[in-house]
Amino acid sequence: MENTISVRIYDFLKHYPPFSLIDEETLMRIAQRVLVKYSPPDSYVFKQGEAPGKYIYIVKEGAVQLIREEEEGSVLIEQCDEGDVFGIRPLLAVEPYELSAKVMEESLIYAVEITGFEELLQKNPNISFYLARNFASGIRASASETYRGKLFLRKQELQEEEFSLTEVQQLNTKKAPITCLLNTSIQEAARKMTAQRVGSIIVVDLEQCPIGIVTDKDLRRKVATGLTPLNAMVSKIMSSPVRTLAPAVSYAEVQMEMVKHRIHHICITEDGTASTRVVGVVSEHDLLVVQGNNPAILIRSIQRARNAERLRAIRDRAEELMRKYLYQEVSIAFISEVITEINDALIQQVILLSQEELKQEGLAQPEAKFCWMTLGSEGRGEQLLRTDQDNALVFENVPESAYEATKSYYLQLSQKVTQKLHIVGFEYCPGEMMASNPKWCLSLQEWLEQFDKWIYEPTGEAVLFSSIFFDYRAVYGQLELAEQMTAHIFESIDERTMFLSFLAKSALRNPPPLTFFRNFVLEGSGDHKNEFDIKARAMMPLADAARVLILSKKVGQVNNTFRRFEKMAELEPNNKELFEQAADAYEILMRYRALQGIKNHNSGRYFNPSNLSKMERINLRNSFQPIRELQSLLNVRFQLAFLG
């Protein structure tokens, strides 16, 4: 009987972290020491202030609330359901429990004895990281920088697919190098290079150790110009010494070495030094060939594209690159920068192609210069997947007599641009917040007047528009126009500080869910009924909070949400931990949404909570935690109680 119970406990524990990270033999020993506790409603597993015992707990069935007792009353911190671990204080410290664990409905709870856990933590860093990440006071404060913005603990589970990034792949040195001896004539070396169709030849000694290198460039500059005769020895034109690396090197390392020393070829030797035999050579061209999805290559391809269909194919390649980055847990900060650069290059090329079309149609560009701006998630540099367009155009102020012709041209340009972006895969904005809409293709003065109207008359619609348009980012054209707009916004807010309170109140529209499955805010109707909206319920509360906070500090040119929080952490050291937690939370949410979008071939915005693994639920739950504190901070700072 005892053995059967232990097996059942083992079968349950193995599905939930941190127990899922423990080897079978050790977990079975732990399962044999587990106590099964039945707990009726309103009973306590432990109370705040009590000394910790020798157990940690996991909910088998039922629900347990973690509550902090304060003078004003009880504050619900978290609700635990099946598979949630709580009460790990005995593993972290000898201080009393900081929270009470109250049973809310009939529950079965496993009490796991901690004897031997300390040794287990030392041997298994994944378990230590899990406990620190999920139960200490803060997301970032408790975890190594190595794990910033990460969703997963066991990366090997993700890497079962062929997702190796070219940048980190080991160099392929199987191809035999083309070599010649020091006394070889230039003509003979050139014939050998031509026969083998290579752009370089390594000059070696009798032991096949590298002495120098002759490249196509050397032949053009030193021989074809008549400076050196064909019958001269290669020693006359070779470059020496040769830069060498060992075979166990990544493409990224080779690329960095080339950039560092401004060279185009690297010699690969047995031990990475010039005193051992040559085993290969890598050229800059080789790197470009294998790195077909390298961001720089993609951007170069975009700049050469002559139609929207070609641009769509390149954006598809960018999405595949992003997919690899995500599955290799490359930082979201890096991924968003890369995809933003690619998106910006796409927009710029689309504008150039559209201007050429208008020119061919006989429409001359007005003298008034313009600036194209992206808004919303793309304006914040956070649009990893192709979603709908949000953009606007500002053109220089012109005399009244030239206004109609100027606006007409820029509206036609905007229509062509939005049409092409639609072909590339960026859907039209359902709310028509695009430069092709006459309302959002305005002169500089019109934009300033529009901003003043929103700031001085902050109706619900005005605040909504502000939350979208105040994330604008200049992508093409006369960037100074956007800078003038930013300066004006700060001046107007200075005169009407109450506007920030309305913006802050809007940021409180969506309170964070407590946990999954219980008090979890799902869509109640429509196409996404019973699904969770990660954008509206989790990401936008963070983005809205970051926007109002950064505006209150008059900081321009910092659009990205997690960059805004990092800037706030720098500006307000007393709130540093909260802002850093919020930055990490937003990175995790961005990663998760992108992964869901790739998995389901959509924007990743909606998903069914029942399809989540326990680890995903825990990571997302942790990402919700800073939202409540941020909203509390906004409430106090902007005196929202007085707004009613």
Side-chain angles (χ1 to χ4, degrees):
M1 181 68 175
E2 183 181 348
N3 186 49
T4 303
I5 293 174
S6 297
V7 171
R8 287 178 182 172
I9 293 171
Y10 166 85
D11 286 338
F12 177 80
L13 293 179
K14 70 181 182 181
H15 295 294
Y16 300 102
F19 304 104
S20 57
L21 307 175
I22 300 172
D23 66 88
E24 293 181 12
E25 184 180 344
T26 305
L27 184 57
M28 180 56 77
R29 289 201 303 270
I30 290 171
Q32 290 168 353
R33 301 199 305 270
V34 167
L35 296 181
V36 182
K37 298 182 64 175
Y38 164 77
S39 299
D42 297 323
S43 63
Y44 286 84
V45 181
F46 52 79
K47 291 189 175 182
Q48 183 174 318
E50 288 181 354
K54 59 178 182 178
Y55 297 99
I56 60 175
Y57 303 94
I58 181 169
V59 180
K60 171 66 168 67
E61 297 172 11
V64 175
Q65 287 189 346
L66 300 182
I67 297 168
R68 177 181 291 127
E69 306 292 348
E70 298 181 352
E71 289 183 9
E72 297 80 8
S74 300
V75 178
L76 177 61
I77 302 301
E78 190 173 337
Q79 186 155 300
C80 303
D81 60 13
E82 181 181 317
D84 282 329
V85 176
F86 65 96
I88 70 159
R89 173 64 63 178
L91 282 176
L92 300 179
V94 294
E95 289 91 354
Y97 287 114
E98 292 186 348
L99 305 172
S100 296
K102 186 177 181 181
V103 179
M104 301 311 297
E105 59 187 60
E106 282 191 316
S107 300
L108 275 182
I109 297 169
Y110 287 163
V112 183
E113 191 176 343
I114 64 170
T115 305
F117 249 89
E118 291 83 355
E119 183 181 346
L120 186 62
L121 293 178
Q122 292 174 359
K123 291 181 178 178
N124 195 325
N126 273 352
I127 300 174
S128 299
F129 168 61
Y130 171 82
L131 294 173
R133 175 65 174 276
N134 293 287
F135 297 98
S137 59
I139 293 177
R140 182 185 303 197
S142 60
S144 164
E145 283 289 306
T146 306
Y147 298 101
R148 279 200 57 199
K150 300 292 181 69
L151 269 174
F152 307 95
L153 292 174
R154 293 181 289 175
K155 289 174 66 176
Q156 64 269 25
E157 292 182 0
L158 293 173
Q159 295 171 347
E160 288 174 0
E161 296 186 60
E162 292 298 322
F163 281 132
S164 297
L165 292 174
T166 301
E167 289 92 327
V168 295
Q169 285 177 12
Q170 186 169 318
L171 198 63
N172 180 3
T173 57
K174 293 179 180 177
K175 187 177 179 181
I178 307 304
T179 63
C180 68
L181 295 173
L182 199 60
N183 59 358
T184 305
S185 71
I186 293 172
Q187 187 174 41
E188 186 181 344
R191 284 174 177 167
K192 199 169 184 180
M193 289 168 63
T194 302
Q196 297 294 328
R197 297 183 179 180
V198 295
S200 65
I201 189 167
I202 302 293
V203 182
V204 296
D205 61 19
L206 295 175
E207 277 73 45
Q208 293 294 298
C209 298
I211 302 171
I213 183 171
V214 174
T215 67
D216 280 337
K217 188 175 181 181
D218 294 321
L219 294 175
R220 291 195 306 271
R221 293 176 60 187
K222 300 172 184 177
V223 181
T225 57
L227 294 176
T228 309
L230 277 172
N231 59 0
M233 299 297 103
V234 289
S235 58
K236 292 288 186 182
I237 63 168
M238 72 180 186
S239 299
S240 183
V242 184
R243 287 286 168 185
T244 57
L245 288 173
V249 66
S250 70
Y251 284 101
E253 289 172 288
V254 174
Q255 200 166 40
M256 290 302 294
E257 191 74 7
M258 287 181 180
V259 171
K260 182 179 177 182
H261 298 287
R262 298 184 181 182
I263 55 178
H264 304 285
H265 296 79
I266 293 285
C267 183
I268 307 301
T269 64
E270 289 178 332
D271 70 353
T273 71
S275 59
T276 55
R277 190 175 63 87
V278 174
V279 294
V281 63
V282 183
S283 68
E284 187 177 50
H285 174 73
D286 294 331
L287 293 180
L288 297 183
V289 170
V290 297
Q291 292 182 307
N293 275 0
N294 178 290
I297 306 306
L298 292 176
I299 289 173
R300 221 168 288 155
S301 299
I302 288 169
Q303 293 167 343
R304 290 196 295 264
R306 303 311 302 161
N307 56 63
E309 289 76 10
R310 175 61 184 149
L311 290 172
R312 183 185 181 103
I314 298 169
R315 188 54 173 81
D316 288 343
R317 287 167 57 193
E319 210 145 279
E320 179 60 26
L321 175 65
M322 181 189 68
R323 183 172 181 244
K324 293 178 181 180
Y325 282 157
L326 286 167
Y327 276 83
Q328 291 289 337
E329 295 235 278
V330 173
S331 80
I332 281 293
F334 176 78
I335 298 174
S336 63
E337 286 173 10
V338 167
I339 298 301
T340 297
E341 287 289 334
I342 290 171
N343 284 343
D344 286 359
L346 280 168
I347 293 168
Q348 291 158 7
Q349 187 66 7
V350 161
I351 292 172
L352 289 171
L353 293 174
S354 300
Q355 287 175 314
E356 286 178 18
E357 281 186 17
L358 287 175
K359 189 176 181 181
Q360 290 169 5
E361 292 169 10
L363 282 175
Q365 184 169 337
E367 289 185 12
K369 295 176 181 176
F370 78 102
C371 178
W372 185 274
M373 301 174 294
T374 60
L375 315 171
S377 60
E378 175 59 13
R380 295 191 300 273
E382 298 168 4
Q383 192 179 56
L384 301 186
L385 297 168
R386 279 170 286 192
T387 55
D388 58 307
Q389 300 180 43
D390 289 306
N391 45 57
L393 186 146
V394 56
F395 55 87
E396 288 181 320
N397 297 326
V398 294
E400 190 175 340
S401 58
Y403 177 83
E404 288 301 328
T406 303
K407 178 151 183 171
S408 174
Y409 174 87
Y410 284 123
L411 270 176
Q412 291 181 71
L413 174 65
S414 297
Q415 286 161 4
K416 285 187 177 294
V417 171
T418 54
Q419 286 167 4
K420 285 179 172 56
L421 288 175
H422 182 72
I423 294 170
V424 172
F426 296 93
E427 296 295 329
Y428 292 123
C429 174
E432 292 192 51
M433 292 182 189
M434 300 179 291
S436 53
N437 183 338
K439 290 172 64 177
W440 314 127
C441 178
L442 304 171
S443 69
L444 175 61
Q445 185 58 39
E446 287 175 317
W447 272 115
L448 301 187
E449 290 170 0
Q450 179 66 80
F451 289 157
D452 282 349
K453 184 174 177 59
W454 290 340
I455 292 169
Y456 285 92
E457 300 173 28
T459 62
E461 183 181 61
V463 171
L464 173 63
F465 283 143
S466 298
S467 67
I468 297 170
F469 284 87
F470 283 10
D471 284 341
Y472 63 79
R473 186 169 54 82
V475 172
Y476 181 89
Q478 195 75 8
L479 307 186
E480 293 83 357
L481 292 170
E483 292 171 5
Q484 292 179 55
M485 291 165 65
T486 301
H488 183 82
I489 288 172
F490 289 145
E491 289 173 7
S492 297
I493 289 175
D494 255 354
E495 295 175 5
R496 174 69 170 171
T497 55
M498 182 61 73
F499 169 74
L500 290 177
S501 297
F502 284 96
L503 207 58
K505 185 178 180 181
S506 176
L508 305 186
R509 284 171 299 173
N510 294 313
L514 286 174
T515 184
F516 288 93
F517 304 113
R518 299 175 189 276
N519 299 322
F520 193 81
V521 186
L522 303 180
E523 300 308 298
S525 60
D527 294 340
H528 300 285
K529 185 178 180 180
N530 296 326
E531 291 183 320
F532 181 65
D533 184 346
I534 193 172
K535 175 185 175 182
R537 306 293 183 184
M539 297 181 74
M540 288 317 299
L542 288 168
D544 291 342
R547 181 186 308 108
V548 69
L549 287 167
I550 209 74
L551 277 172
S552 72
K553 297 294 183 183
K554 300 181 188 175
V555 176
Q557 312 304 317
V558 181
N559 281 29
N560 183 281
T561 298
F562 50 82
R563 295 293 185 218
R564 283 172 168 172
F565 280 126
E566 288 175 348
K567 185 64 177 178
M568 288 301 301
E570 177 187 320
L571 295 173
E572 294 186 11
N574 56 315
N575 289 314
K576 184 174 186 287
E577 184 177 338
L578 171 59
F579 293 142
E580 288 182 340
Q581 287 179 30
D584 284 350
Y586 200 79
E587 288 189 57
I588 287 174
L589 292 167
M590 278 184 66
R591 184 185 298 276
Y592 187 77
R593 180 180 177 181
L595 287 167
Q596 285 290 305
I598 288 169
K599 177 182 176 183
N600 299 314
H601 306 289
N602 56 30
S603 71
R605 177 172 177 174
Y606 300 93
F607 60 84
N608 189 332
S610 62
N611 294 334
L612 299 173
S613 70
K614 189 66 178 181
M615 183 62 77
E616 289 172 324
R617 289 164 56 193
I618 288 169
N619 277 287
L620 288 176
R621 178 196 66 193
N622 290 344
S623 300
F624 300 150
Q625 290 173 355
I627 300 176
R628 187 177 290 102
E629 288 186 58
L630 277 170
Q631 293 186 341
S632 176
L633 183 148
L634 295 181
N635 229 321
V636 174
R637 179 168 300 186
F638 297 100
Q639 302 179 339
L640 301 186
F642 295 104
L643 289 183

